[in-house]
Amino acid sequence: MTMPLPMTSAALALGASPDIESAFHAVWEALGRQHHLPAAILELARLRLAAMHRADREMALRSPWASGLSEPKAALVLTGSWHRAADFAASEKAVLAFAEIYAQGAEFITDELAADIQSHFGDAGLVCLIEALGFIDARIRLALLFNRLRPAP
Amino acid sequence: MGTKPRVTVPPSPKTGHIIRDSAFGLAADLLEPVVRLTHLNWVASSINPGLIEMLRLRNARTVNCVICRSTRYDEARRDGMTEEKLAQVEDGYRESQLDPREKLALEFANAYLRNQDDASPALMARLGKEFSDRQIGDMAIALATFNAMSRCAVSLGGMPESMPVFTLPLPSA
């Protein structure tokens, strides 16, 4: 099996059964098409997860849905200095705060963090964010895992 | 862990599908791709249902999703999976009575779930002696899906303190 290495979350080829690999990719594509959350905010969350994984290739990556992303904001997210920056909207800060706690453990998410997301994006936005973080984190983990299992020559 | 549900699931219409009728149904744009993936992870896999169930339980116990920990799938039972065996899918699995192939699959799961730095070409070489590339890919995507979904369940709140084991049919498409 030939797989492009090193892999990133945007270009995973895991060699799974074709129907399964295709269905997994379809979830990723759906994240880019969904209407529950602004794509640029989702990309900020992806970058925060990438930074928390210390995943250099993921931090350098911009997702296919990242159009409209502010690179100065991305830089603040990647360094973890977004908390004190004035550039971020309340909705962006709510998503970033949620993503940071999610990365440390879903059990640490508080009702307040969830309510903050709901105040901006409603119940559907909260569910979408939680699913998106799950599958974004999954793809980052898989890229890290397979790049270590099969390091580039 | 939040014991109060954080979203209100619309009371109707109910479809009879465990995912569509849950809070996941609220994010309509993601629903069908997620439903299809969870279904295919079982029915299109090159891995037998019993071993998939072990990977699922390893994830459930790592994330500490009470509902996922209490769930069993009937297809895994038909494949011969027993509670005695599943009880060994704990942190001490290396010293358990599980067979070497099962222990290796759990080692792979731990590398995904806990520390990707534990993965190495040496682990890949050992995996390659027991599993085909396709099987490794199927296990990886199954683990990724189980982990994402169980963390979703915990994040949404409403998790009970404990619950008895119950058996379900595989999630349909």
Side-chain angles (χ1 to χ4, degrees), chain B residues 23-117:
Chain B
F24 290 105
L26 292 168
D29 293 347
L30 302 182
L31 181 61
E32 292 311 317
V34 168
V35 165
R36 179 171 161 74
L37 176 62
T38 55
H39 172 70
L40 289 173
N41 271 325
W42 290 95
V43 303
S45 184
S46 57
I47 295 291
N48 62 295
L51 188 53
I52 297 175
E53 184 78 322
M54 293 178 77
L55 296 173
R56 191 187 64 76
L57 256 293
R58 184 71 199 137
N59 167 72
R61 289 169 180 167
T62 302
V63 175
N64 196 21
C65 173
V66 175
I67 296 172
C68 311
R69 283 170 42 191
S70 300
T71 304
R72 303 288 184 270
Y73 285 106
D74 56 6
E75 194 67 19
R77 298 265 196 231
R78 280 194 285 275
D79 192 38
M81 187 48 59
T82 62
E83 283 302 313
E84 182 185 17
K85 204 156 198 178
L86 291 175
Q88 299 176 70
V89 186
E90 295 283 2
D91 283 348
Y93 72 88
R94 287 174 196 270
E95 289 75 44
S96 71
Q97 300 302 308
L98 298 175
D99 70 40
R101 189 172 189 266
E102 293 165 335
K103 290 181 183 178
L104 185 57
L106 294 176
E107 187 177 344
F108 178 64
N110 269 11
Y112 176 84
L113 295 168
R114 293 210 160 142
N115 189 357
Q116 297 83 50
D117 286 344

Side-chain angles (χ1 to χ4, degrees), chain A:
Chain A
M1 177 179 46
T2 303
M3 292 195 289
L5 290 171
M7 290 193 279
T8 67
S9 59
L12 283 177
L14 302 171
S17 296
D19 284 350
I20 293 175
E21 188 110 21
S22 167
F24 189 57
H25 188 64
V27 174
W28 173 250
E29 289 184 325
L31 293 181
R33 287 196 309 268
Q34 56 77 29
H35 297 92
H36 305 297
L37 292 170
I41 292 187
L42 202 53
E43 180 66 359
L44 290 176
R46 190 194 66 78
L47 290 172
R48 193 70 206 117
L49 290 182
M52 294 182 79
H53 274 287
R54 290 175 290 169
D56 293 343
R57 292 186 188 91
E58 299 296 329
M59 293 165 71
L61 174 76
R62 297 297 176 268
S63 298
W65 63 66
S67 61
L69 176 73
S70 156
E71 280 300 326
K73 283 185 184 177
L76 290 165
V77 166
L78 288 170
T79 56
S81 48
W82 63 271
H83 296 267
R84 292 174 301 281
D87 324 41
F88 290 88
S91 57
E92 292 171 324
K93 288 191 171 185
V95 167
L96 288 167
F98 193 99
E100 283 192 348
I101 301 299
Y102 177 92
Q104 294 167 63
E107 68 273 28
F108 302 128
I109 291 170
T110 63
D111 291 340
E112 290 73 23
L113 282 168
D116 201 8
I117 299 296
Q118 286 164 305
S119 73
H120 294 290
F121 303 112
D123 281 359
L126 175 63
V127 175
C128 179
L129 177 62
I130 289 169
E131 287 187 77
L133 291 175
F135 282 97
I136 288 170
D137 185 77
R139 296 183 73 94
I140 293 173
R141 284 176 189 242
L142 287 171
L144 290 171
L145 181 76
F146 276 85
N147 287 337
R148 290 192 187 281
L149 289 171
R150 295 188 171 110

